[in-house]
Amino acid sequence: MALFGRLGRLVGLVGPAIEAVFARHRLTTGEFDVLAALRRAGHPFVLTPGVLARTMMLSPAAMTNRLDRLEAAGMIARSLDPANRRSMRVELTADGRRAVDAAVAEHVANEQRLLDPLTPADRVELDRLLRVLLGHLEPDAR
C-alpha cells in the first residue's frame, strides 16, 4: 500500500509541474502530445487524425477536439489528402513547430530538474522496474 501511495503522490506532484511548462507555451498536455507526434514524424510533419489517435490511444472524438483547438490557435492545418480524398491530413504549421520546439526544450529541462535527486544508475533501474510493471499490467502493449 505504501508503494502505491508514493506512486500516487508522485503523479500528483509531477503532473502539475509538467502541465505548468506547457501552460507557459499556451498548450495543454494533450495538445503538446499532438504537436510532438507531428514533430517526431519528421518533414513534412504530416499525419492523419487516425494515426494520431492510435498513437495517443484516444477516441476519434477526443482527437477531433484537440485538433479543433490547435487549428484555431494556428498550430496545425487540416486538409484533404490529395492521394485519398476520403482522408484528412494534419500538418504542423510554422507556429506549431516553434511552439513545440520551445516547449520541448523547457519540458526536458524540467524533467531533468524533477529527476535530479536520482543518479544516472538510479534512473536506469527505475526505468527498468517501471517497464516490468507496465509490461505486466499492459500485456497487449508488448
Side-chain angles (χ1 to χ4, degrees):
M1 287 176 57
L3 176 62
F4 281 98
R6 285 186 191 94
L7 287 172
R9 285 181 24 225
L10 184 63
V11 168
L13 293 168
V14 170
I18 290 171
E19 290 167 4
V21 168
F22 299 141
R24 282 194 288 279
H25 296 274
R26 296 188 176 112
L27 297 169
T28 66
T29 300
E31 292 164 350
F32 170 82
D33 289 344
V34 171
L35 297 179
L38 288 165
R39 184 70 169 95
R40 281 190 307 271
H43 186 65
F45 311 111
V46 174
L47 294 170
T48 66
V51 168
L52 285 166
R54 283 190 298 279
T55 298
M56 289 175 239
M57 295 181 278
L58 291 174
S59 70
M63 180 54 62
T64 297
N65 287 336
R66 288 184 188 179
L67 295 177
D68 287 346
R69 290 190 307 267
L70 288 167
E71 188 173 41
M75 294 192 192
I76 63 148
R78 288 186 274 197
S79 61
L80 286 174
D81 185 341
N84 178 359
R85 294 188 52 102
R86 294 174 297 163
S87 180
M88 293 294 290
R89 297 166 20 120
V90 178
E91 181 176 1
L92 188 63
T93 65
D95 285 347
R97 187 170 172 187
R98 279 189 291 277
V100 73
D101 287 351
V104 163
E106 188 176 346
H107 178 52
V108 169
N110 187 45
E111 286 180 331
Q112 178 67 38
R113 180 187 62 77
L114 292 168
L115 293 172
D116 271 348
L118 301 178
T119 67
D122 290 340
R123 294 176 194 189
V124 169
E125 182 64 5
L126 179 59
D127 183 60
R128 186 190 71 74
L129 292 169
L130 291 172
R131 285 175 187 267
V132 169
L133 185 57
L134 287 169
H136 170 72
L137 297 172
E138 296 177 329
D140 295 336
R142 289 183 217 176

